[in-house]
Amino acid sequence: ATDTSGTLYLTPIVLYAGETVGYMRMCSGSVGAAVPTNWWFALYDPSLDLMAQTADQGAAAWAANTVKTLALSSSQAIPTTGVYFFGHMMAAATTNTSLRTPLVTTVLAGLTANGAYDAGLTTTAPATATFVGTTRAFRFCQVLSP
């Protein structure tokens, strides 16, 4: 699925107390980004408050079927086990990259926090994410230790 330019999308991810997250990773699908202007990943807590963001990748290319791993601005120690959120945003003059979507169970499909949040974004993730759109397909994403 290809997302709307400049919109933050969140995907739930279970993290466990004591883990440390330093990197975030996603895989593009069959469509690469055409003329991206800004794109980044961000980690949100269970209350949808921003924990950390990666650097804005600006106009850096993201080819089709390519894994991108980006470092967070600072490693994040996970305080409590729960559902956190992997955020991604891309603004592009022409076409956003498509993103890989795994098969999910009906339990995951019922999570309403998955989908479109704040629109009109460029370089910075919002301090608190605000739902603005319908739910979307789940994205394949990973968080990695530093």
Side-chain angles (χ1 to χ4, degrees), residues 31-47:
V31 177
V35 195
T37 55
N38 302 95
W39 62 276
W40 40 261
F41 302 150
L43 181 63
Y44 282 84
D45 71 12
S47 297

Side-chain angles (χ1 to χ4, degrees), residues 115-133:
Y117 286 73
D118 306 270
L121 302 175
T122 56
T123 61
T124 306
T128 301
T130 304
F131 189 73
V132 296

Side-chain angles (χ1 to χ4, degrees), residues 73-124:
S73 56
S74 61
S75 293
Q76 299 296 305
I78 303 303
T80 58
T81 298
V83 178
Y84 290 74
F85 296 91
F86 186 117
H88 71 279
M89 190 290 304
M90 177 176 279
T94 307
T95 305
N96 281 5
T97 185
S98 63
L99 297 169
R100 292 277 178 207
T101 56
L103 296 173
V104 296
T105 65
T106 53
V107 172
L108 286 178
L111 290 173
T112 58
N114 177 56
Y117 286 73
D118 306 270
L121 302 175
T122 56
T123 61
T124 306

